[in-house]
């Protein structure tokens, strides 16, 4: 931008705050439009971005403003997300994409912080960005923030208290917790951790993954290693799928079973080499799974819980491959579905690059050591800007997985349900010996009495977990395990356990939503 462009944005003279994210933080400069010079406070320090310190740069008091802005324009013209002529409409559109409140009456300071952090992540050294007009008072050296359109108010955006806020202090934090807070993530308790539920509307995040690309921080997930000469026998005994069929560099979806054939957890088993396996388990089950496996470890192998050493980023969507490829010298398109490789991403070593995901939109799950996690996160955003990469929360993760009919532990499967009841017979190999096999063998021979089915609402209504399911006579025949409003189908969809005699495809059922019974129909999954 040039000086005249900045002046034209406000229509007034006065002090304006310009934000310049750099490799070492974020620099703030006050531009005195009337006097055409930079106003700085040497060695001053502000902290408006949480753990990111913002320094006012030491510089000459009378450095010509035109000279500074010319240098900015010359250096960053190709990287500016808006026209360098600063077309107000383009600026408004760009701001509106990043700040949900921009077109409303108010833009909160927390939204401006979000914009500043966004720039500092996307570009290692981003263009100067006009944010707001500032006025300072010598009495308290405080700064008030004023701007004509939109109006900016200095108080933080009001946050509705979480019903779990009383216990949230005790919840463990994932390594990049503060990053998600600074990005505006709404943090909630999930799986024993404080996790981002959403950063913007869940529908917007959902559609970004379906149509483009998004990134999930799912570092709450657990990671175990199993090594030793009887590792294969150990995993064959405890899991439902055929571990012996795995080749090096392949992953497998499976279930960890108990003595009654119930699902202790669903998990992924990665074979890194002979007698060297990497397991990924659900966050809420880390301790339970580890204790269960140790109880049955009657084999010559070593089981180690490495959950605290790893972060997991899921880059999901049709543009995920092109995005991650920018950080790799290897041909990632050669990694087939449910295959993985261990290699560098940029200069970060030993990243597990897995062609897996929980969205049904394709992509990669990237396992990285905690010490390298923030660097990888920032690198992904630095190359992801051209793909419109945005962070995605657990809310959209849930709607995405329901649309594909993927089960969630604690909702659709638990210690009391068997793989056969949960439509997971395809990962249950009865031609091998494993814990709880006799129960599943009996179910196979005698039949099951309940079954997990998918259903779509025929009338307006959103099904939720634990809603009762009825037949045409009004008899209770089951219970909803997962449900949502599908952003793609624009109708209610869900899954639930139903008596086997009522579970046929195309059968009409009724979901008890509040005081009404709302018609639905049993359909095959996935829904989309």
């Amino acid at each position: 931008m040039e000086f005249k462009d900045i002046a034209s944005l406000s229509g007034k003279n006065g002090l304006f705050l310009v934000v310049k994210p750099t490799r070492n933080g974020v620099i703030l400069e006050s531009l005195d439009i009337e006097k055409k010079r930079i106003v700085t406070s040497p060695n001053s320090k502000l902290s408006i971005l949480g753990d990111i310190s913002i320094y006012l740069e030491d510089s000459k008091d009378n450095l010509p403003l035109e000279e500074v802005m010319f240098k900015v324009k010359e250096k960053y013209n190709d990287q500016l997300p808006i026209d360098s002529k600063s077309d107000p409409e383009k600026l408004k559109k760009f701001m509106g994409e990043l700040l949900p409140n921009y077109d409303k009456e108010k833009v909160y300071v927390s939204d401006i912080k979000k914009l500043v952090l966004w720039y500092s992540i996307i570009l290692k050294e981003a263009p100067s960005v006009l944010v707001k007009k500032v006025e300072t008072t010598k009495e308290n050296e405080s700064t008030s923030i004023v701007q004509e359109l939109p109006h900016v108010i200095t108080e933080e955006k009001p946050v509705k208290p979480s019903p779990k806020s009383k216990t949230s202090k005790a919840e463990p934090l994932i390594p990049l917790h503060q990053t998600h807070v600074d990005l505006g993530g709404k943090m909630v308790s999930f799986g024993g951790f404080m996790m981002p539920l959403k950063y913007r509307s869940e529908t917007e995040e959902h559609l970004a993954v379906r149509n483009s690309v998004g990134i999930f921080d799912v570092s709450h997930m657990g990671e175990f290693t199993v090594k030793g000469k009887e590792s294969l026998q150990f995993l064959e005994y405890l899991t439902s799928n055929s571990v012996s069929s795995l080749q090096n560099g392949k992953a497998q979806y499976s279930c960890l079973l108990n003595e009654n054939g119930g699902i202790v957890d669903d998990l992924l088993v990665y074979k890194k080499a002979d007698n060297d396996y990497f397991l990924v388990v659900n966050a809420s089950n880390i301790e339970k799974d580890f204790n269960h496996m140790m109880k049955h470890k009657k084999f010559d192998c070593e089981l180690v819980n490495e959950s605290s050493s790893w972060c997991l980023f899921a880059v999901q969507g049709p543009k995920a491959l092109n995005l991650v490829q920018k950080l790799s010298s290897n041909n990632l398109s050669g990694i087939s579905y449910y295959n993985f490789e261990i290699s560098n991403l940029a200069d970060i070593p030993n990243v597990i690059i897995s062609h897996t995901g929980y969205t049904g939109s394709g992509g990669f799950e990237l396992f990285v050591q905690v010490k390298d996690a923030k660097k990888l996160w920032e690198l992904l955003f630095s190359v992801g800007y051209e793909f419109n990469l945005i962070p995605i929360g657990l809310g959209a993760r849930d709607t995405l997985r329901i649309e594909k009919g993927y089960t969630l532990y604690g909702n659709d499967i638990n210690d009391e349900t068997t793989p056969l009841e949960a439509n997971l017979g395809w990962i249950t190999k009865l031609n091998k010996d494993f814990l709880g096999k006799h129960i599943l063998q009996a179910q196979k021979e005698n039949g099951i009495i309940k079954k997990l089915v998918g259903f779509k609402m025929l009338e307006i209504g959103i099904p939720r977990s634990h809603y009762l399911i009825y037949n045409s006579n009004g008899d209770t025949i089951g219970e909803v395990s997962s449900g949502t409003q599908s952003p793609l189908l624009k109708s209610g969809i869900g899954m639930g356990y139903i008596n086997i005699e009522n579970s046929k495809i195309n059968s009409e059922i009724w979901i008890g939503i509040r005081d009404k019974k709302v018609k639905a129909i049993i359909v095959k999954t996935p829904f989309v």
Side-chain angles (χ1 to χ4, degrees):
M1 297 181 187
E2 296 179 3
F3 165 73
K4 60 181 178 63
D5 296 319
I6 293 180
S8 68
L9 285 177
S10 68
K12 289 186 176 183
N13 290 330
L15 290 178
F16 282 78
L17 193 63
V18 171
V19 182
K20 286 206 310 184
T22 70
R23 290 183 178 87
N24 299 318
V26 182
I27 295 172
L28 300 183
E29 292 178 339
S30 297
L31 303 184
D32 190 323
I33 300 298
E34 186 173 8
K35 296 181 180 179
K36 297 185 180 182
R37 69 183 182 90
I38 293 178
V39 180
T40 62
S41 299
N43 302 317
S44 294
K45 178 179 178 180
L46 302 178
S47 294
I48 63 169
L49 285 178
D51 62 351
I52 296 182
S53 296
I54 301 177
Y55 292 87
L56 293 179
E57 183 184 39
D58 286 317
S59 62
K60 301 175 183 178
D61 281 346
N62 296 312
L63 187 64
L65 184 61
E66 294 93 330
E67 179 183 336
V68 175
M69 297 315 299
F70 175 77
K71 288 181 179 179
V72 171
K73 178 177 181 292
E74 182 181 52
K75 185 171 184 179
Y76 298 118
N77 187 54
D78 292 338
Q79 297 183 46
L80 282 172
I82 57 174
D83 193 305
S84 61
K85 293 181 180 179
S86 196
D87 184 318
E89 288 304 313
K90 289 186 178 180
L91 175 61
K92 183 177 180 181
K93 180 180 179 182
F94 173 68
M95 290 285 283
E97 290 176 353
L98 293 185
L99 306 182
N101 293 322
Y102 190 81
D103 289 322
K104 300 180 182 178
E105 294 181 358
K106 300 176 180 178
V107 171
Y108 289 86
V109 174
S110 56
D111 286 327
I112 293 174
K113 293 177 187 178
K114 191 188 306 182
L115 175 63
V116 174
L117 182 63
W118 187 274
Y119 266 101
S120 67
I121 289 177
I122 290 173
L123 301 174
K124 289 299 181 182
E125 194 171 14
S128 294
V129 183
L130 173 66
V131 177
K132 48 198 173 288
K133 180 178 179 179
V134 298
E135 298 172 352
T136 58
T137 59
K138 291 184 179 180
E139 288 77 11
N140 56 14
E141 295 184 353
S142 64
T143 300
S144 62
I145 304 171
V146 183
Q147 187 169 327
E148 279 62 44
L149 182 64
H151 176 56
V152 179
I153 60 177
T154 55
E155 68 265 26
E156 293 290 343
K157 183 185 296 185
V159 179
K160 184 180 293 185
S162 167
K164 296 189 177 182
S165 60
K166 293 183 179 180
T167 60
S168 62
K169 291 183 179 179
E171 298 285 2
L173 306 180
I174 56 177
L176 268 60
H177 174 86
Q178 189 59 47
T179 296
H180 300 299
V181 171
D182 292 338
L183 282 170
K186 179 181 179 181
M187 308 304 287
V188 298
S189 175
F190 181 82
F193 293 81
M194 293 303 295
M195 297 293 294
L197 175 68
K198 62 179 181 178
Y199 305 84
R200 54 188 74 200
S201 82
E202 292 176 17
T203 297
E204 184 180 355
E205 292 181 10
H206 180 109
L207 295 177
V209 174
R210 286 282 184 251
N211 300 322
S212 181
V213 63
I215 182 171
F216 304 78
D217 184 349
V218 283
S219 298
H220 62 316
M221 299 292 283
E223 293 84 16
F224 301 162
T225 58
V226 179
K227 298 180 181 180
K229 65 180 183 180
E230 291 185 340
S231 298
L232 174 60
Q233 294 91 321
F234 177 51
L235 292 175
E236 285 280 43
Y237 178 68
L238 284 179
T239 64
S240 62
N241 212 335
S242 175
V243 185
S244 61
S245 66
L246 275 178
Q247 299 177 4
N248 296 348
K250 289 185 176 294
Q252 181 183 83
Y253 181 54
S254 189
C255 286
L256 194 65
L257 300 177
N258 59 30
E259 294 87 344
N260 299 316
I263 302 173
V264 177
D265 203 0
D266 60 335
L267 75 164
L268 286 181
V269 179
Y270 291 80
K271 185 178 182 182
K272 298 169 72 175
D274 289 346
N275 298 315
D276 186 357
Y277 297 89
F278 184 77
L279 313 182
V280 182
V281 302
N282 284 296
S284 59
N285 292 334
I286 293 174
E287 184 177 358
K288 182 184 79 168
D289 291 357
F290 189 79
N291 291 339
H292 175 76
M293 295 181 75
M294 287 298 294
K295 176 183 176 181
H296 295 282
K297 196 176 79 66
K298 302 172 183 178
F299 300 86
D300 186 4
C301 62
E302 180 183 30
L303 172 66
V304 178
N305 181 1
E306 294 188 353
S307 302
S308 62
S309 300
W310 292 94
C311 280
L312 172 55
F313 303 143
V315 184
Q316 298 285 293
K319 297 182 181 178
L321 171 60
N322 291 337
L323 190 158
V324 180
Q325 183 64 70
K326 285 185 170 290
L327 297 179
S328 177
S329 58
N330 296 343
N331 180 14
L332 300 185
S333 64
I335 303 177
S336 302
Y337 192 47
Y338 266 77
N339 282 244
F340 69 97
E341 70 173 38
I342 302 175
S343 61
N344 287 10
L345 282 180
D347 59 349
I348 300 175
N350 301 317
V351 179
I352 300 176
I353 306 170
S354 175
H355 188 175
T356 49
Y358 194 47
T359 66
S361 287
F364 292 93
E365 293 182 306
L366 309 175
F367 297 85
V368 60
Q369 291 289 311
V370 169
K371 63 182 178 64
D372 297 318
K374 188 170 184 180
K375 182 176 182 180
L376 179 57
W377 179 268
E378 293 178 351
L379 282 171
L380 288 165
F381 273 95
S382 72
V383 298
Y385 182 76
E386 66 177 278
F387 304 102
N388 298 315
L389 176 68
I390 62 171
I392 312 293
L394 293 179
R397 187 171 182 250
D398 197 50
T399 56
L400 288 160
R401 67 95 186 169
I402 292 176
E403 282 187 345
K404 291 298 179 180
Y406 297 158
T407 57
L408 173 66
Y409 196 89
N411 282 45
D412 311 298
I413 51 178
N414 56 45
D415 291 288
E416 303 298 322
T417 56
T418 72
L420 299 185
E421 294 168 341
N423 281 330
L424 296 175
W426 60 280
I427 60 168
T428 306
K429 310 303 180 185
L430 295 175
N431 58 352
K432 68 165 191 171
D433 291 324
F434 57 88
L435 189 65
K437 175 184 175 179
H438 64 289
I439 300 294
L440 302 185
Q441 190 72 56
Q443 285 188 336
K444 184 74 172 179
E445 295 171 358
N446 302 322
I448 53 179
I449 62 173
K450 65 177 181 179
K451 180 181 180 182
L452 184 66
V453 301
F455 61 86
K456 181 178 179 181
M457 303 304 298
L458 295 177
E459 299 174 343
I460 296 175
I462 303 176
R464 300 297 185 192
S465 179
H466 302 303
Y467 286 4
L468 295 180
I469 303 175
Y470 303 90
N471 63 14
S472 58
N473 296 323
D475 302 321
T476 301
I477 58 173
E479 183 177 296
V480 176
S481 56
S482 289
T484 191
Q485 176 79 1
S486 166
L488 280 186
L489 299 176
K490 294 181 172 55
S491 65
I493 58 173
M495 295 182 286
Y497 282 92
I498 295 182
N499 298 338
I500 193 68
E501 59 268 22
N502 293 284
S503 65
K504 292 182 180 179
I505 299 296
N506 294 325
S507 297
E508 288 187 347
I509 56 175
W510 283 259
I511 311 299
I513 300 179
R514 297 182 179 88
D515 58 346
K516 296 182 179 180
K517 292 183 176 67
V518 186
K519 185 183 292 189
I521 187 171
I522 297 176
V523 297
K524 291 182 178 180
T525 57
F527 298 97
V528 298

